[in-house]
Amino acid sequence: MSTNSNSPQQVVQQFLKSLAERNSYELLQLFSENTDWYIPGDKERAPWLGRRNSREEIRTFYELLWKNTQPVSAQIDHTLTDKDTAIITGEFKTKMLQTNKIVESPFCIQMTVENGLITRYLILEDSYAVSEPMKSPD
């Protein structure tokens, strides 16, 4: 899939479609080989969180996320683009498979798209709510 001519709007649309389908191959094609990727949070409890840089590391993110979570619902409130920046806001509800607990959180995704590929990716969410259900019982 050649994305070099895709606008930020097209990249966002393909990203959301591929994410909803859990299509890691199509998702990975949207990212630059070197991406500044960051999802703040407790990596000890939720190993999919943290920094990533390569497509291989991003592939590992999706493997870990999908192995440990099951989507319950997601709502996209806004998708905004300005030049090379895209912002997606909404809310999600996810079941943590290790504990069967449901996590709800608003989120904001910020992407930089250059030459049709995502070069910067940041998710802001309630990282406490995401990692707390993964805590081992005392």
Side-chain angles (χ1 to χ4, degrees), residues 3-4 11 29-32 55 112-119:
T3 58
N4 289 348
V11 171
Q29 301 311 304
L30 297 171
F31 288 91
S32 169
R55 280 188 182 158
T112 301
V113 178
E114 299 173 348
N115 299 316
L117 295 172
I118 301 166
T119 59

Side-chain angles (χ1 to χ4, degrees), residues 58-71:
I58 295 168
R59 182 188 62 73
T60 301
F61 161 81
Y62 286 112
E63 288 176 356
L64 288 169
L65 178 70
W66 295 340
K67 176 182 164 186
N68 288 284
T69 67
Q70 178 181 348

Side-chain angles (χ1 to χ4, degrees), residues 32-69:
S32 169
E33 185 51 50
N34 296 304
T35 300
D36 177 12
W37 169 294
Y38 186 44
I39 305 174
D42 186 343
K43 279 182 58 172
E44 295 298 315
R45 292 186 189 168
W48 58 89
L49 299 176
R51 292 197 178 276
R52 310 225 182 248
N53 296 109
S54 69
R55 280 188 182 158
E56 182 62 24
E57 290 174 330
I58 295 168
R59 182 188 62 73
T60 301
F61 161 81
Y62 286 112
E63 288 176 356
L64 288 169
L65 178 70
W66 295 340
K67 176 182 164 186
N68 288 284
T69 67

Side-chain angles (χ1 to χ4, degrees), residues 59-85:
R59 182 188 62 73
T60 301
F61 161 81
Y62 286 112
E63 288 176 356
L64 288 169
L65 178 70
W66 295 340
K67 176 182 164 186
N68 288 284
T69 67
Q70 178 181 348
V72 175
S73 65
Q75 173 183 321
I76 303 298
D77 294 330
H78 302 284
T79 57
L80 311 163
T81 57
D82 180 34
K83 298 179 185 170
D84 66 351
T85 301

